[in-house]
Amino acid sequence: MNRNQENEAKKYHICSEAYFRFFHLMNQYYKSPDALSKSISKEIVPLAKEMHLGYIAVHLDAPSNSLAPHGKHVHAEIYKADYESEKIWNVEFITPEDGVCVLSTAPERNYEWNEDERKEIHFFLECIFVRFGRIRMGQLLSKVSTCDFLTSAMNGRGMTVYGTELKQQDELVKYDGLFMNLKNFKYINQTVGQKKGDEILIKYCHTLQRFLLPSEKVSRPGGDNFFVLIRKERTQMFLHFLQEIPITVPYESGHRTYRISANVGIYRINGNDNISDAMDFATVALNEVKHSGKGVDQLWYAPYMMDKIMHDKQISQLFPKALADNEFSVYYQPKVLLENQKLCGCEALVRWYHQGKNVPPMDFIPVLEREGTVCNLDFYVFEKVCSDLRRWIDMGVEPVRISTNFSQQHLRNPFLAEEILNIMQKYDIESRYIEIELTEMSEAKNREAMLVFLQKMRDYGICTSIDDFGTGFSSLNMLREFHMDVIKLDKSFVDKIAMETPDAVSDKIVIQNIVHLVRDLQLEIISEGVETKEQAEFLRNIQCNMAQGFLFDKPLPHDEFEKRLLSNRIYHI
């Protein structure tokens, strides 16, 4: 190998190594430009000397998009030595999103590139542009995986990444985690349409971001849910801020303001927690807010909430097999005519015996109600009722009308009435022995389905009743719209009748007027929870038709209730 070949080989080796080290560093440049700019300048020195470079800079202007609302604007000097500014050569490239990337370079002072050198430098600049493109693509993919497209806030993964970084720095313990769900947003979305609904979500998220410090973050895991990490000393201030946030949305006819509030579960992060723990426990607290019935919209996590969730999961897991194994039995609580204290009907109530122990209804009914599996239990009970009725009729015993509870979850089923009728026909049960009892409406969304169902029941001659009257959806409106046969007065109305208190006086006036109103509408009325002679006497005097409660009988198992049917049906109290 001659000297020229040795020089070329040496030059090739120097350039190849410099290329490799330079582009390796460029892969990290956007991650930490301040820390790496000096390293890049140092690594490019051998390459710059061989190519007679005195200056290299990059200038990027990329347009805005959902991931970068303000676009991307970068100006960085990659290498700077002794050069003449008037000799700067700008090479322009168009980015895939129609942005502009300009790479500027100049020869070292007192040097002029020849044509071959210019081609080599142009190729070098193209390599830099391609590498910048790969870097930006990597950034974009990282952004996509951690960013919510709608609001440009973090998504769930983004919050996990950020929280993990705080944990590694021993900073996470300084924060509280808040999981939020917007109240009534589904209704707002249905009212204004999805496009305006999205606009409200975006503005709400941006309002939260303006409140937060740079180290405090908000993420949108999905839908109308948000998770916030906020410093502990600012949590109460933030909770107060959340109570009602006005969001103004433009329309063709002007502007409309929506006042958005949220249900919030709060978790105080401790030193042993990671970000997943914070999100999970805050979610548990949020679920308690939504299902506790306590009338509050902000709750701090407490251990009992997790115990409750584990209990509910256990109920969910046990229920299908328990139903298949006939662990549920039907009890009957008598109903009595107040005018003569005669047995006139009963209510079918479910009891669950699991592994020799009684599971209280309030331990499993609400769980099944939330999941919708209560519908399976309701039909199980109804079929047991029809089977018992068939048996008593075949024995020559005249049954009484039996009311069977059906959750309003059933109203999602357009064939509910037909399925009820099919079971009655299976056991050849006349409609006069059946009463379908529905819990009073708590939401107006079931209105249309309720109207259709009640009309079908009237067509089949089946009696219907509404349970817990006066405790939920507008009772007067319900009486006007839904033509029921029986109104069942909630126990809470009669609890204070025997007391000499202002509340008791008010309750008596309310009860008396409800009874008169129902009778004027030619409906039947029954009061549940009657436990004293004074309560029964008062109800009889105001002409309430029927009563049900421990004063007459507790819920009875099948065999004991059958004895009631076979004996004197008059109650002596």
Side-chain angles (χ1 to χ4, degrees), residues 178-185 204 208 224-226 238-239 241-245 259-266 286 289-290 296-299:
L178 289 76
F179 210 109
M180 303 154 47
N181 175 256
L182 303 191
K183 296 166 70 173
N184 301 317
F185 185 75
Y204 183 83
L208 297 182
D224 54 354
N225 297 308
F226 295 89
F238 184 63
L239 290 173
F241 169 74
L242 287 178
Q243 290 178 358
E244 198 173 76
I245 296 177
R259 299 195 173 275
I260 309 295
S261 56
N263 290 315
V264 190
I266 315 114
L286 175 62
V289 171
K290 296 170 73 173
V296 296
D297 53 16
Q298 297 177 354
L299 281 177

Side-chain angles (χ1 to χ4, degrees), residues 60-63 93-101:
L60 173 69
D61 280 307
F93 300 92
I94 303 300
T95 67
E97 70 272 42
D98 292 328
V100 176
C101 178

Side-chain angles (χ1 to χ4, degrees), residues 454-554:
L454 292 177
Q455 183 60 54
K456 289 181 178 180
M457 290 291 96
R458 283 194 296 274
D459 293 342
Y460 297 144
I462 299 173
C463 181
T464 56
S465 61
I466 200 77
D467 193 12
D468 300 332
F469 180 82
T471 60
F473 181 65
S474 174
S475 300
L476 292 178
N477 189 56
M478 187 206 68
L479 284 177
R480 182 176 63 85
E481 289 197 81
F482 305 133
H483 303 294
M484 316 293 292
D485 300 293
V486 181
I487 301 299
K488 193 169 187 179
L489 194 63
D490 186 69
K491 179 182 182 297
S492 61
F493 283 95
V494 298
D495 281 343
K496 300 177 184 177
I497 283 177
M499 303 178 186
E500 296 298 329
T501 65
D503 286 346
V505 174
S506 298
D507 284 354
K508 288 180 180 179
I509 294 171
V510 170
I511 294 170
Q512 185 170 352
N513 281 277
I514 290 175
V515 170
H516 288 170
L517 175 61
V518 171
R519 289 183 66 91
D520 286 346
L521 292 171
Q522 298 184 337
L523 306 176
E524 296 180 14
I525 184 165
I526 180 172
S527 177
E528 63 178 349
V530 177
E531 298 178 351
T532 68
K533 293 181 180 179
E534 291 82 3
Q535 291 172 337
E537 186 67 24
F538 171 77
L539 292 168
R540 180 167 52 247
N541 289 339
I542 62 172
Q543 298 183 308
C544 179
N545 302 109
M546 297 170 284
Q548 172 185 346
F550 286 178
L551 176 64
F552 305 102
D553 248 328
K554 63 182 181 180

Side-chain angles (χ1 to χ4, degrees), residues 28-44:
Q28 307 172 59
Y29 186 77
Y30 272 152
K31 297 178 183 178
S32 181
D34 293 336
L36 290 171
S37 58
K38 292 182 180 179
S39 298
I40 288 175
S41 297
K42 179 181 178 182
E43 292 301 330
I44 203 175

Side-chain angles (χ1 to χ4, degrees), residues 288-316:
E288 182 68 13
V289 171
K290 296 170 73 173
H291 299 129
S292 68
K294 296 178 180 178
V296 296
D297 53 16
Q298 297 177 354
L299 281 177
W300 289 81
Y301 171 82
Y304 80 87
M305 298 177 184
M306 184 59 74
D307 294 340
K308 184 177 178 182
I309 284 183
M310 298 307 295
H311 167 268
D312 291 355
K313 287 183 177 179
Q314 184 182 33
I315 292 295
S316 299

